Amino acid sequence: MTRRGLLCGVLLTLAFVLPAQAQGQQCGLDRFSDLPITTIPDGRFTVPAVLNGRKLDFLVDTGGVAATIEREQAFNLHLPTNYTPRTLKGVAGNNLIYVTTLETFSLGRLQGTNLAAYIDNRLPAGVDGTLSPDMMRHYDVDIDLLRGTLSLFSQKHCVGKVVYWTKSGYVALPMEVESDGHIRVRVTVDGVKVTALLDTGARHSIVSMSLAKKIGVSENSPDLKLVHGSTDQYKSYDYPFKLLDFDGIAVSKPRLQVVSDDYLPRGIDMLVGVSILRRLHLYIAYGEEKLYITPAGAN
């Protein structure tokens, strides 16, 4: 869920207590947590977290900015709520203006305290909150949707020594980590190079109409089918793209929607959501600023 808004600074005051064996620099990987993934009906996924002693399900959202918690859960846990002028725009277009502090918060063996989170009343069914880059960027994040696991690793390892799940080929794709933690990578769509935003919180993978036109698609293309917005400001279309290439790891017949140019954040012509990402195994090395990719079934 790519979130835009007026967020200034970082609301994170999270301190995780790391397992004792993970304190030193070494070449091997230190796995802090290994979490089961639950796929919700729209295709996105959650992992279990324990907040103030209660197990909740948090959506993994690399396209977010700051953690959120569902309003009813905040009420049930008697969390204090405070107004903040640092507005965050939610995925449904609502402005998030209230925050709370999660006193204790754990992901597997990682134990954290004092995580600031926005209150959100429009999260999907089955989602109690969201994990965003404000927390995740301090770790390496391994996402294996096929096998249903998400792991958090220490960033203290030898550069490039992270692909543990396969002995076959992989791609180490340079990625740009923006100040808000969003990830941009270079990909190729039907022969056209483009910078794409990686967003596990987005159901669909989408391209702008401007990018589609560079590929040779126009509003009059016979294979372009309107799926939403016959009279709305924003329109979306289905189109049978042929290939999405991550510098050597290719996804054939990718399901990409074409959207009106103003739909995506400024400067972004493509968003890669979970509809594509579940066909891959991803290791997000935030510290190295590298994205390691294999096909989902690589072993």
Side-chain angles (χ1 to χ4, degrees):
M1 292 186 289
T2 304
R3 297 179 184 269
R4 316 178 209 175
L6 306 175
L7 182 63
C8 301
V10 178
L11 272 172
L12 183 68
T13 53
L14 178 67
F16 272 121
V17 178
L18 305 183
Q21 68 267 30
Q23 302 295 332
Q25 172 75 40
Q26 61 179 23
C27 226
L29 292 175
D30 281 324
R31 189 192 303 259
F32 295 157
S33 290
D34 193 18
L35 305 168
I37 283 172
T38 298
T39 298
I40 63 176
D42 65 14
R44 291 176 289 180
F45 62 96
T46 64
V47 294
V50 178
L51 169 59
N52 291 0
R54 178 176 297 181
K55 178 185 173 297
L56 299 174
D57 295 309
F58 275 63
L59 186 83
V60 179
D61 186 10
T62 60
V65 175
T68 68
I69 184 169
E70 200 272 330
R71 182 175 62 180
E72 184 176 348
Q73 292 294 351
F75 176 80
N76 291 339
L77 289 164
H78 307 291
L79 299 178
T81 301
N82 299 292
Y83 167 79
T84 176
R86 295 182 287 185
T87 302
L88 183 69
K89 187 176 291 295
V91 67
N94 55 320
N95 290 324
L96 308 185
I97 58 173
Y98 293 100
V99 295
T100 188
T101 299
L102 314 182
E103 294 181 2
T104 63
F105 185 86
S106 62
L107 293 167
R109 293 190 300 148
L110 284 176
Q111 307 293 317
T113 58
N114 299 324
L115 173 65
Y118 280 86
I119 306 294
D120 197 338
N121 64 343
R122 297 190 186 181
L123 292 174
V127 174
D128 300 314
T130 63
L131 298 178
S132 292
D134 57 354
M135 185 281 288
M136 291 188 289
R137 69 188 303 172
H138 300 288
Y139 307 93
D140 284 359
V141 181
D142 177 42
I143 303 173
D144 186 352
L145 281 163
L146 181 65
R147 297 174 180 84
T149 59
L150 181 143
S151 299
L152 298 175
F153 289 90
S154 169
Q155 294 181 355
K156 295 181 179 180
H157 54 71
C158 293
V159 173
K161 303 296 184 180
V162 302
V163 181
Y164 65 91
W165 63 91
T166 181
K167 295 181 180 179
S168 59
Y170 65 90
V171 164
L173 195 63
M175 68 185 196
E176 177 188 354
V177 181
E178 299 178 317
S179 59
D180 57 9
H182 290 171
I183 296 169
R184 296 192 189 207
V185 294
R186 294 286 287 175
V187 300
T188 304
V189 184
D190 287 359
V192 175
K193 283 277 190 182
V194 62
T195 297
L197 192 70
L198 194 76
D199 190 353
T200 60
R203 291 175 291 170
H204 304 296
S205 300
I206 55 182
V207 299
S208 68
M209 182 59 76
S210 292
L211 174 59
K213 289 178 178 177
K214 292 178 183 178
I215 297 171
V217 182
S218 72
E219 291 93 337
N220 299 322
S221 296
D223 290 332
L224 190 70
K225 307 297 183 184
L226 182 69
V227 294
H228 177 74
S230 57
T231 60
D232 298 71
Q233 179 182 1
Y234 300 118
K235 297 181 180 180
S236 61
Y237 305 83
D238 272 339
Y239 183 82
F241 292 95
K242 296 179 178 64
L243 200 70
L244 171 58
D245 184 15
F246 293 85
D247 198 26
I249 301 294
V251 175
S252 61
K253 297 181 180 179
R255 179 73 184 274
L256 305 173
Q257 289 190 351
V258 181
V259 297
S260 305
D261 285 338
D262 291 339
Y263 183 84
L264 288 167
R266 182 174 299 177
I268 292 292
D269 281 320
M270 182 173 184
L271 184 149
V272 181
V274 74
S275 62
I276 296 294
L277 298 178
R278 67 174 48 259
R279 297 171 66 177
L280 306 169
H281 186 140
L282 306 172
Y283 188 103
I284 304 170
Y286 279 103
E288 292 181 37
E289 296 199 351
K290 287 286 183 67
L291 178 66
Y292 295 86
I293 308 173
T294 71
N299 52 40

